PDB file of all heavy atoms in Angstrom:
ATOM      1  N   GLU A 174      14.191  36.202  51.774  1.00  0.00           N
ATOM      2  CA  GLU A 174      15.484  36.443  51.146  1.00  0.00           C
ATOM      3  C   GLU A 174      15.403  36.298  49.635  1.00  0.00           C
ATOM      4  O   GLU A 174      16.046  37.041  48.889  1.00  0.00           O
ATOM      5  CB  GLU A 174      16.532  35.478  51.717  1.00  0.00           C
ATOM      6  CG  GLU A 174      16.893  35.738  53.169  1.00  0.00           C
ATOM      7  CD  GLU A 174      17.397  37.156  53.384  1.00  0.00           C
ATOM      8  OE1 GLU A 174      18.149  37.664  52.529  1.00  0.00           O
ATOM      9  OE2 GLU A 174      17.036  37.763  54.404  1.00  0.00           O
ATOM     10  N   GLU A 175      14.606  35.323  49.162  1.00  0.00           N
ATOM     11  CA  GLU A 175      14.442  35.162  47.714  1.00  0.00           C
ATOM     12  C   GLU A 175      13.715  36.363  47.123  1.00  0.00           C
ATOM     13  O   GLU A 175      14.064  36.840  46.033  1.00  0.00           O
ATOM     14  CB  GLU A 175      13.677  33.873  47.421  1.00  0.00           C
ATOM     15  CG  GLU A 175      14.468  32.608  47.710  1.00  0.00           C
ATOM     16  CD  GLU A 175      13.623  31.356  47.658  1.00  0.00           C
ATOM     17  OE1 GLU A 175      12.391  31.460  47.865  1.00  0.00           O
ATOM     18  OE2 GLU A 175      14.178  30.274  47.430  1.00  0.00           O
ATOM     19  N   LEU A 176      12.688  36.843  47.833  1.00  0.00           N
ATOM     20  CA  LEU A 176      11.969  38.025  47.359  1.00  0.00           C
ATOM     21  C   LEU A 176      12.886  39.245  47.362  1.00  0.00           C
ATOM     22  O   LEU A 176      12.810  40.098  46.465  1.00  0.00           O
ATOM     23  CB  LEU A 176      10.750  38.270  48.253  1.00  0.00           C
ATOM     24  CG  LEU A 176       9.800  39.391  47.833  1.00  0.00           C
ATOM     25  CD1 LEU A 176       9.307  39.170  46.412  1.00  0.00           C
ATOM     26  CD2 LEU A 176       8.628  39.483  48.796  1.00  0.00           C
ATOM     27  N   ARG A 177      13.760  39.324  48.346  1.00  0.00           N
ATOM     28  CA  ARG A 177      14.730  40.425  48.404  1.00  0.00           C
ATOM     29  C   ARG A 177      15.638  40.396  47.179  1.00  0.00           C
ATOM     30  O   ARG A 177      15.945  41.437  46.590  1.00  0.00           O
ATOM     31  CB  ARG A 177      15.562  40.293  49.682  1.00  0.00           C
ATOM     32  CG  ARG A 177      16.404  41.509  50.036  1.00  0.00           C
ATOM     33  CD  ARG A 177      17.167  41.239  51.331  1.00  0.00           C
ATOM     34  NE  ARG A 177      17.749  42.442  51.875  1.00  0.00           N
ATOM     35  CZ  ARG A 177      18.898  42.966  51.474  1.00  0.00           C
ATOM     36  NH1 ARG A 177      19.583  42.371  50.509  1.00  0.00           N
ATOM     37  NH2 ARG A 177      19.358  44.065  52.033  1.00  0.00           N
ATOM     38  N   THR A 178      16.062  39.195  46.777  1.00  0.00           N
ATOM     39  CA  THR A 178      16.899  39.056  45.590  1.00  0.00           C
ATOM     40  C   THR A 178      16.153  39.485  44.340  1.00  0.00           C
ATOM     41  O   THR A 178      16.710  40.160  43.465  1.00  0.00           O
ATOM     42  CB  THR A 178      17.373  37.600  45.438  1.00  0.00           C
ATOM     43  OG1 THR A 178      18.125  37.216  46.594  1.00  0.00           O
ATOM     44  CG2 THR A 178      18.252  37.443  44.206  1.00  0.00           C
ATOM     45  N   VAL A 179      14.868  39.105  44.246  1.00  0.00           N
ATOM     46  CA  VAL A 179      14.057  39.510  43.090  1.00  0.00           C
ATOM     47  C   VAL A 179      13.985  41.029  42.994  1.00  0.00           C
ATOM     48  O   VAL A 179      14.122  41.614  41.916  1.00  0.00           O
ATOM     49  CB  VAL A 179      12.635  38.913  43.201  1.00  0.00           C
ATOM     50  CG1 VAL A 179      11.718  39.508  42.141  1.00  0.00           C
ATOM     51  CG2 VAL A 179      12.682  37.399  43.060  1.00  0.00           C
ATOM     52  N   VAL A 180      13.785  41.686  44.141  1.00  0.00           N
ATOM     53  CA  VAL A 180      13.668  43.154  44.146  1.00  0.00           C
ATOM     54  C   VAL A 180      14.988  43.808  43.769  1.00  0.00           C
ATOM     55  O   VAL A 180      15.039  44.721  42.933  1.00  0.00           O
ATOM     56  CB  VAL A 180      13.194  43.651  45.529  1.00  0.00           C
ATOM     57  CG1 VAL A 180      13.262  45.172  45.603  1.00  0.00           C
ATOM     58  CG2 VAL A 180      11.772  43.180  45.804  1.00  0.00           C
ATOM     59  N   THR A 181      16.087  43.350  44.357  1.00  0.00           N
ATOM     60  CA  THR A 181      17.383  43.983  44.110  1.00  0.00           C
ATOM     61  C   THR A 181      17.856  43.780  42.670  1.00  0.00           C
ATOM     62  O   THR A 181      18.621  44.581  42.149  1.00  0.00           O
ATOM     63  CB  THR A 181      18.452  43.438  45.069  1.00  0.00           C
ATOM     64  OG1 THR A 181      18.496  42.002  44.976  1.00  0.00           O
ATOM     65  CG2 THR A 181      18.155  43.839  46.496  1.00  0.00           C
ATOM     66  N   GLU A 182      17.381  42.701  42.019  1.00  0.00           N
ATOM     67  CA  GLU A 182      17.794  42.434  40.650  1.00  0.00           C
ATOM     68  C   GLU A 182      16.740  42.871  39.636  1.00  0.00           C
ATOM     69  O   GLU A 182      16.794  42.470  38.469  1.00  0.00           O
ATOM     70  CB  GLU A 182      18.103  40.948  40.480  1.00  0.00           C
ATOM     71  CG  GLU A 182      19.302  40.475  41.305  1.00  0.00           C
ATOM     72  CD  GLU A 182      19.654  39.032  41.060  1.00  0.00           C
ATOM     73  OE1 GLU A 182      18.914  38.370  40.298  1.00  0.00           O
ATOM     74  OE2 GLU A 182      20.668  38.565  41.608  1.00  0.00           O
ATOM     75  N   ALA A 183      15.790  43.679  40.064  1.00  0.00           N
ATOM     76  CA  ALA A 183      14.734  44.135  39.157  1.00  0.00           C
ATOM     77  C   ALA A 183      15.273  45.049  38.071  1.00  0.00           C
ATOM     78  O   ALA A 183      14.648  45.225  37.026  1.00  0.00           O
ATOM     79  CB  ALA A 183      13.636  44.856  39.951  1.00  0.00           C
ATOM     80  N   GLY A 184      16.440  45.657  38.313  1.00  0.00           N
ATOM     81  CA  GLY A 184      17.076  46.476  37.298  1.00  0.00           C
ATOM     82  C   GLY A 184      16.266  47.702  36.930  1.00  0.00           C
ATOM     83  O   GLY A 184      15.726  48.406  37.782  1.00  0.00           O
ATOM     84  N   ALA A 185      16.147  47.936  35.618  1.00  0.00           N
ATOM     85  CA  ALA A 185      15.483  49.147  35.133  1.00  0.00           C
ATOM     86  C   ALA A 185      13.983  49.141  35.368  1.00  0.00           C
ATOM     87  O   ALA A 185      13.325  50.175  35.215  1.00  0.00           O
ATOM     88  CB  ALA A 185      15.776  49.321  33.642  1.00  0.00           C
ATOM     89  N   MET A 186      13.417  47.985  35.730  1.00  0.00           N
ATOM     90  CA  MET A 186      11.971  47.922  35.964  1.00  0.00           C
ATOM     91  C   MET A 186      11.564  48.711  37.207  1.00  0.00           C
ATOM     92  O   MET A 186      10.402  49.098  37.342  1.00  0.00           O
ATOM     93  CB  MET A 186      11.516  46.461  36.088  1.00  0.00           C
ATOM     94  CG  MET A 186      11.595  45.697  34.770  1.00  0.00           C
ATOM     95  SD  MET A 186      10.940  44.031  34.911  1.00  0.00           S
ATOM     96  CE  MET A 186      12.199  43.252  35.907  1.00  0.00           C
ATOM     97  N   LEU A 187      12.495  48.916  38.132  1.00  0.00           N
ATOM     98  CA  LEU A 187      12.229  49.707  39.336  1.00  0.00           C
ATOM     99  C   LEU A 187      13.348  50.729  39.502  1.00  0.00           C
ATOM    100  O   LEU A 187      14.522  50.411  39.278  1.00  0.00           O
ATOM    101  CB  LEU A 187      12.174  48.807  40.579  1.00  0.00           C
ATOM    102  CG  LEU A 187      10.946  47.924  40.763  1.00  0.00           C
ATOM    103  CD1 LEU A 187      11.166  47.001  41.961  1.00  0.00           C
ATOM    104  CD2 LEU A 187       9.692  48.741  40.977  1.00  0.00           C
ATOM    105  N   SER A 188      12.986  51.934  39.895  1.00  0.00           N
ATOM    106  CA  SER A 188      14.013  52.940  40.146  1.00  0.00           C
ATOM    107  C   SER A 188      14.824  52.545  41.381  1.00  0.00           C
ATOM    108  O   SER A 188      14.374  51.757  42.213  1.00  0.00           O
ATOM    109  CB  SER A 188      13.371  54.314  40.368  1.00  0.00           C
ATOM    110  OG  SER A 188      12.651  54.336  41.585  1.00  0.00           O
ATOM    111  N   THR A 189      16.011  53.098  41.478  1.00  0.00           N
ATOM    112  CA  THR A 189      16.886  52.784  42.618  1.00  0.00           C
ATOM    113  C   THR A 189      16.211  53.129  43.932  1.00  0.00           C
ATOM    114  O   THR A 189      16.304  52.372  44.913  1.00  0.00           O
ATOM    115  CB  THR A 189      18.207  53.562  42.489  1.00  0.00           C
ATOM    116  OG1 THR A 189      18.836  53.216  41.260  1.00  0.00           O
ATOM    117  CG2 THR A 189      19.144  53.225  43.646  1.00  0.00           C
ATOM    118  N   ARG A 190      15.497  54.250  43.973  1.00  0.00           N
ATOM    119  CA  ARG A 190      14.829  54.672  45.205  1.00  0.00           C
ATOM    120  C   ARG A 190      13.746  53.685  45.617  1.00  0.00           C
ATOM    121  O   ARG A 190      13.633  53.303  46.785  1.00  0.00           O
ATOM    122  CB  ARG A 190      14.234  56.067  45.007  1.00  0.00           C
ATOM    123  CG  ARG A 190      13.560  56.620  46.268  1.00  0.00           C
ATOM    124  CD  ARG A 190      13.087  58.043  46.070  1.00  0.00           C
ATOM    125  NE  ARG A 190      12.483  58.581  47.273  1.00  0.00           N
ATOM    126  CZ  ARG A 190      13.144  59.080  48.295  1.00  0.00           C
ATOM    127  NH1 ARG A 190      14.455  59.100  48.262  1.00  0.00           N
ATOM    128  NH2 ARG A 190      12.525  59.566  49.348  1.00  0.00           N
TER     129      ARG A 190
END
Side-chain angles (χ1 to χ4, degrees):
E174 291 303 320
E175 290 170 335
L176 185 56
R177 192 180 193 278
T178 300
V179 170
V180 172
T181 54
E182 295 184 356
M186 291 184 289
L187 286 174
S188 68
T189 302
R190 182 175 182 81

